Amino acid sequence: MTHHNSNSRIPLWRAIVQWVFFAWVVFIGIRFDTFVRHFETSGITPLVSRPPGVEGFLPIGALASTKLWLATGTINPVHPAALVIFLTIVGMSLVAKKSFCSWLCPVGTLSEAAWKLGRRLFGRTFRVWPWLDGALRGVKYLLLLFFVKIILVDMPALAVAAFLDAPYWAVSDVKMLHFFTKMSATTVVVLALLTGLSLLYKNVWCRYLCPYGALLGVASFLSPFKVRRDTAGCTGCRSCSRACPSGLPVHGKEKIRSAECTGCLTCVASCPELEVLRMAPSFWKRPLPAWTFPALVVLLFAAGIGAGMATGYWHSSLTYDDYRQLIPMVPYLNH
């Protein structure tokens, strides 16, 4: 088998990684719902152990935990997995571009599935006018600046500590669960609108609105891994640029530095020429096997989570009695 042929398998590998991870996230959600229901029914329904991975859905709280950790060197024990997952994903971007977005993120997986379904339904995807696309892409960076300013810059460490010790933070994971299981009319309308737009335009949420993705994009500037183009072997067919979900002009660049590049390798897989496009660090001149980058992405995530588990910063310090008291209070707790 040639290296060129192995590149053509990249979309299949990515789909497998995406949907296996998505299934794992769904399993975590169902298990957490079962855990919460035990306390909501005063112990009538069965008790299962709480899956710490659910804290991956608490990025704003994780940012507050990061502030506390940087300011005081302490890790809040209530939701330590939120910090571990957050730091793992940022760390992935420092090494391997915004690979979390394109290989693991469940929202990214659903967003991609939506526009691919839309393409089947309507025979095409639509493009936002270039001037509007540029303006809209700035929205996620403005949202990121807002959260960074109010949490990392403006919020004193004492205030962060008080927030992380409050009952609201203790049940923030339950609040997030209810966001999905007990949707308000406003939530339904917003999600329906986003879904409708995602059917017509590629990756609407990821491209324009996700502040998490904006943060990972900024971090990815430091990543040694970049898509690189061999100008001598390139025929200028533009297959790479047409395939790029982020609409980047891959065919005209020697390397892709853009914060919008998610490391999905769609451009690499679409290139008809042998070794013209590759994802590699600048110091690595020889061809890397096509599986190298996907394996690195999965390994980095597993290593980060494993480090959190090994150091004892994974399971919440909250006890059965804590949850028995807190969960019935959830409807009355607001930040």
Side-chain angles (χ1 to χ4, degrees):
M1 183 190 295
T2 66
H3 183 67
H4 177 58
N5 287 338
S6 69
N7 280 350
S8 66
R9 295 189 174 192
I10 289 172
L12 174 63
W13 296 341
R14 191 162 77 88
I16 291 170
V17 172
Q18 282 178 303
W19 288 106
V20 167
F21 192 82
F22 183 83
W24 181 59
V25 169
V26 170
F27 170 76
I28 287 173
I30 293 170
R31 189 173 183 86
F32 184 60
D33 182 57
T34 306
F35 171 82
V36 171
R37 207 176 312 127
H38 171 80
F39 296 97
E40 289 177 338
T41 60
S42 302
I44 293 172
T45 58
L47 175 68
V48 297
S49 60
R50 175 186 175 276
V54 75
E55 295 172 27
F57 284 92
L58 306 174
I60 296 171
L63 194 61
S65 291
T66 303
K67 166 73 179 258
L68 184 72
W69 177 57
L70 292 173
T72 68
T74 59
I75 293 176
N76 182 269
V78 175
H79 291 313
L83 178 64
V84 169
I85 294 168
F86 179 76
L87 293 179
T88 296
I89 293 170
V90 173
M92 286 174 67
S93 300
L94 291 172
V95 177
K97 295 295 290 181
K98 283 171 62 175
S99 51
F100 176 79
C101 298
S102 59
W103 289 84
L104 299 177
C105 178
V107 179
T109 298
L110 288 178
S111 186
E112 186 173 331
W115 69 256
K116 286 181 176 177
L117 174 62
R119 188 169 60 185
R120 286 193 170 195
L121 292 174
F122 307 114
R124 56 172 289 195
T125 53
F126 297 84
R127 285 180 177 270
V128 177
W129 296 301
W131 63 268
L132 182 59
D133 176 68
L136 290 175
R137 270 189 287 143
V139 172
K140 64 179 181 288
Y141 295 102
L142 290 175
L143 289 170
L144 172 64
L145 281 173
F146 170 74
F147 288 120
V148 166
K149 184 178 187 306
I150 64 167
I151 295 172
L152 290 187
V153 178
D154 292 348
M155 211 168 171
L158 281 174
V160 173
F163 166 74
L164 295 175
D165 285 334
Y168 180 85
W169 172 238
V171 297
S172 55
D173 49 353
V174 184
K175 287 273 191 184
M176 181 56 70
L177 174 71
H178 289 170
F179 175 82
F180 292 105
T181 59
K182 300 178 180 179
M183 288 188 192
S184 66
T186 304
T187 301
V188 171
V189 169
V190 170
L191 288 180
L193 181 63
L194 282 172
T195 302
L197 289 170
S198 297
L199 288 169
L200 302 174
Y201 301 96
K202 289 183 180 179
N203 304 327
V204 168
W205 169 260
C206 313
R207 190 166 175 79
Y208 302 128
L209 296 170
C210 181
Y212 211 161
L215 173 64
L216 303 186
V218 172
S220 76
F221 275 118
L222 297 175
S223 167
F225 278 85
K226 288 178 173 60
V227 173
R228 301 175 191 278
R229 183 177 67 95
D230 174 16
T231 53
C234 179
T235 61
C237 70
R238 301 196 176 199
S239 293
C240 51
S241 298
R242 284 194 296 271
C244 177
S246 298
L248 299 173
V250 183
H251 72 279
K253 306 283 185 181
E254 285 192 35
K255 63 180 175 183
I256 301 298
R257 294 189 180 92
S258 174
E260 300 294 318
C261 174
T262 63
C264 66
L265 305 189
T266 304
C267 59
V268 176
S270 71
C271 181
E273 303 302 321
L274 185 63
E275 299 300 350
V276 165
L277 282 182
R278 61 195 181 97
M279 173 68 89
S282 59
F283 56 80
W284 197 271
K285 303 303 181 186
R286 290 176 297 161
L288 285 168
W291 54 263
T292 306
F293 189 73
L296 175 67
V297 170
V298 175
L299 185 64
L300 285 171
F301 186 79
I305 303 305
M309 292 177 174
T311 52
Y313 296 113
W314 187 246
H315 291 282
S316 173
S317 61
L318 296 174
T319 64
Y320 181 93
D321 284 338
D322 291 331
Y323 281 112
R324 189 163 54 80
Q325 293 173 18
L326 285 165
I327 287 179
M329 294 165 56
V330 167
Y332 312 106
L333 291 175
N334 292 297
H335 56 286

